[in-house]
Amino acid sequence: MLDVILSFAVILVAFLVLPLIIGQTEHKVMAHMQSRLGPMYAGGFHGWAQLIADGVKFAQKEDVIPAAADRRIFMIAPGVALVPYLVVLIAIPFDRDFVAVDLDLGLFFVLAVMGIGVLGSIMAGWASANKYSVLGGMRSAAQLMSYELPLVLAASSVAMAAGTLSLPGIAAAWQWWWLPWQAIGGVVFFLAGLAELRRPPFDMPIAESEIIMGPMTEYTGMRFALFMLAEYAGIVVLSFLTTVLFLGGWQGPFLPGWLWTLVKVFVLAFIVIWLRVTYPRLREDQLQKLAWAVLVPLALVQLALTGVVKVLI
C-alpha cells in the first residue's frame, strides 16, 4: 500500500513540476531563437522570474463568465482539458520497475484518455457563446477526428512489434534496431500527437490572428491558466509516450533508467518548441491533407512493414 501511495505522489509531483519546467524552457528557447528580451531579463539572472510573473499575472486577473454562456460547461471545460493527462501518467513507466499501474491494455487506455482531454477544447468553444470560440471548437473537433487515426495506427505498429499492449512490456521488448524499423511510425505518432495538442504549426483551432484565441477567447484568470497548463502537460505526456513506444523508454548505457527517460522526454519537448518557432501555421486544408493524404498512408506502410518483418523473424 505504501508503495502505491509513494508512486502516485511521485506522479503528482511530476505532473505539477514538469509542465512548468517545459513552459520555462519554452520561454528561454524562444527568447534565444527570436531575440525576445523579456524572458531573458525578468527578475535578473537569466530571467528566472518569468514563470513566477506569469503565475501572478493569471492569479490577479478577474474570473469572467459571459452572460450568455453555458455556465456549468464553461466552468468544467478547463478541468476536462487538464485532468486526463494526469490520469494517463499513472500508466506510463518511468523506469523498469517504476510504474504506478501496469495495465495489460495500457496502450489502449492512454490513447482513449488522451482523446478525452481534447474534448475540453470543444466544450469550451461550444459553451462560450462566442462565434470565434465556436469556430475554434469546430476546428478542434475536425482536427481530433483527422489525427486520431494516424496516431492509433502508428501506436498499433509498435504494439504489434512488441507483441503486447502493456507500456512497460513494449519498452522492455524494444531493441536498438527498432529505431530504423519503426522510424516512420515514430514520426507519424509524434506529428499526430502535436496536432491533437493543437501545437504550432497545427494551431488552427487557436490561430490568434484569425479567431483571437479560439475556444479560449472568453477565458480569463486561472481558468485560462489551466488551459495553458493542460497544453504543457500534453507535451509532457506526448514526449513520455513517444519515448516509451519508439525510443526504448528507460533503456540506455551508463545512466540510471529514470534519467534516460527524462533525457529523452526533454529532447522531444525541445523539438516541440523548436517546431513552434520554426514553422508557420498550416491552413485548414493543408492540415487535413497532411492527415489523410500523408500520415494515414505512412502509418499503413509502417503497419505493413511491421507485419512483414514479424513474419520473417
Side-chain angles (χ1 to χ4, degrees), residues 14-34:
F15 177 76
L16 296 175
V17 173
L18 290 180
L20 298 180
I21 294 175
I22 290 178
Q24 181 77 341
T25 302
E26 183 169 63
H27 279 124
K28 301 305 177 185
V29 171
M30 293 179 67
H32 280 292
M33 289 184 172
Q34 298 180 333

Side-chain angles (χ1 to χ4, degrees), residues 109-195:
F109 173 79
V110 298
L111 293 179
V113 175
M114 281 181 66
I116 296 174
V118 182
L119 295 179
S121 176
I122 302 172
M123 293 168 60
W126 179 258
S128 293
N130 178 301
K131 60 183 178 181
Y132 298 109
S133 299
V134 172
L135 182 57
M138 292 174 63
R139 289 181 177 182
S140 294
Q143 204 156 306
L144 169 65
M145 289 188 292
S146 298
Y147 283 88
E148 190 75 15
L149 182 58
L151 185 81
V152 172
L153 290 175
S156 300
S157 170
V158 74
M160 183 190 302
T164 179
L165 292 170
S166 166
L167 293 179
I170 293 173
W174 187 88
Q175 303 292 330
W176 67 267
W177 52 271
W178 284 27
L179 283 174
W181 179 29
Q182 297 293 327
I184 297 175
V187 172
V188 170
F189 183 87
F190 192 67
L191 292 179
L194 284 181

Side-chain angles (χ1 to χ4, degrees), residues 197-217:
L197 295 177
R198 303 172 302 284
R199 287 284 301 184
F202 305 101
D203 59 336
M204 278 300 293
I206 298 174
E208 295 97 326
S209 58
E210 300 177 25
I211 51 176
I212 312 175
M213 279 297 287
M216 298 179 287
T217 297

